[in-house]
């Protein structure tokens, strides 16, 4: 497949829910959906033990292995989309790195500490924004241990990723450097 002419779709999967959507998409890709696209899955999750993420990573790796071994299957429509890792885009090496962003973690980190929530002055715009995002007791959500992920709370996860400086990771910088406007697509789930 000539990648110079193929459209590339970046799928940024956040947490377990994003991994489940990416898993379903991978099954559709194996059946021939989205032919002639390069798919670049990027999984972002703090929880290294998340079962959904592990299953999706396994499925993505199996897809690549089968696709590499069974090129003739592409002629009848199966496994027609290429799966690329960010490392493969950056270095041109097909299996370099994984599909997951390497986020530096600190033990016992909680979202409140990361955002400085407990030291914010009441009635400031940022504190009011955070309070509007909290659906349960503020102390309960702000003291949530991020090492085990965000428990399905995407709005707090987004703040956590931003506060940790995810834009400074190798994977995210490479994503920003490789994307071609007016050709590539980005989907965040």
């Amino acid at each position: 497949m000539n990648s110079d002419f193929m459209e590339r779709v970046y799928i940024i999967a956040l947490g377990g829910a994003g991994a489940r959507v990416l898993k379903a998409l991978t099954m559709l890709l194996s059946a021939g959906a989205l032919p002639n696209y390069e798919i670049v899955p990027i999984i972002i999750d703090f929880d290294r033990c998340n079962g959904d993420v592990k299953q999706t990573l396994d499925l993505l790796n199996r897809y690549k292995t089968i696709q590499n071994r069974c090129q003739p299957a592409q002629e009848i429509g199966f496994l027609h989309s290429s799966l690329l890792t960010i490392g493969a885009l950056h270095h041109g090496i097909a299996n370099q790195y994984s599909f997951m962003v390497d986020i530096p973690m600190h033990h016992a980190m909680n979202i409140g500490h990361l955002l400085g929530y407990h030291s914010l002055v009441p009635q400031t715009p940022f504190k009011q924004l955070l309070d509007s995002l909290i659906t349960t007791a503020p102390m309960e959500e702000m003291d949530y241990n991020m090492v085990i992920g965000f428990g399905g709370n995407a709005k707090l996860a987004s703040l956590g990723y931003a506060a940790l400086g995810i834009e400074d990771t190798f994977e995210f910088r490479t994503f920003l450097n490789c994307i071609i406007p007016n050709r590539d697509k980005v989907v965040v789930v």
Side-chain angles (χ1 to χ4, degrees):
M1 290 183 229
N2 188 347
S3 63
D4 293 336
F5 302 106
M6 294 182 73
E7 287 189 60
R8 193 172 285 157
V9 180
Y10 294 86
I11 310 288
I12 300 174
L14 301 175
R20 286 189 298 276
V21 171
L22 184 55
K23 181 177 163 184
L25 175 65
T26 305
M27 291 178 191
L28 290 170
L29 293 174
S30 67
L34 297 176
N36 302 316
Y37 279 87
E38 289 181 331
I39 308 297
V40 184
I42 304 169
I43 300 175
I44 303 172
D45 197 347
F46 290 114
D47 186 358
R48 301 277 185 218
C49 298
N50 184 321
D52 291 315
V53 171
K54 285 182 176 183
Q55 287 177 357
T56 302
L57 288 170
D58 182 54
L59 185 64
L60 290 168
N61 288 316
R62 286 174 189 243
Y63 180 102
K64 281 188 67 64
T65 299
I66 292 168
Q67 185 182 44
N68 290 339
R69 291 183 183 165
C70 302
Q71 292 298 327
Q74 292 178 358
E75 294 173 12
I76 58 172
F78 296 112
L79 306 163
H80 216 326
S81 297
S82 295
L83 284 183
L84 300 172
T85 64
I86 286 293
L89 291 177
H90 182 70
H91 298 291
I93 300 170
N95 291 319
Q96 185 152 2
Y97 303 109
S98 77
F99 295 104
M100 192 157 178
V101 173
D102 185 24
I103 303 171
M105 285 300 299
H106 308 286
H107 294 301
M109 184 182 346
N110 64 51
I111 188 71
H113 174 75
L114 186 63
L115 297 173
Y117 179 80
H118 302 298
S119 62
L120 291 174
V121 177
Q123 304 307 315
T124 59
F126 186 63
K127 175 105 167 59
Q128 289 175 334
L129 171 67
L130 289 178
D131 288 342
S132 72
L133 294 174
I134 297 172
T135 56
T136 62
M139 294 305 288
E140 183 180 316
E141 285 197 15
M142 287 297 146
D143 290 335
Y144 191 81
N145 187 344
M146 295 188 323
V147 174
I148 57 172
F150 281 98
N153 196 334
K155 55 193 175 232
L156 288 179
S158 299
L159 288 170
Y161 296 137
L164 271 174
I166 196 155
E167 69 276 2
D168 294 329
T169 63
F170 162 80
E171 296 85 358
F172 202 79
R173 283 192 323 265
T174 302
F175 158 68
L176 292 176
N177 288 331
C178 289
I179 194 163
I180 298 174
N182 301 321
R183 181 194 82 174
D184 297 340
K185 311 287 187 269
V186 178
V187 178
V188 181
V189 293

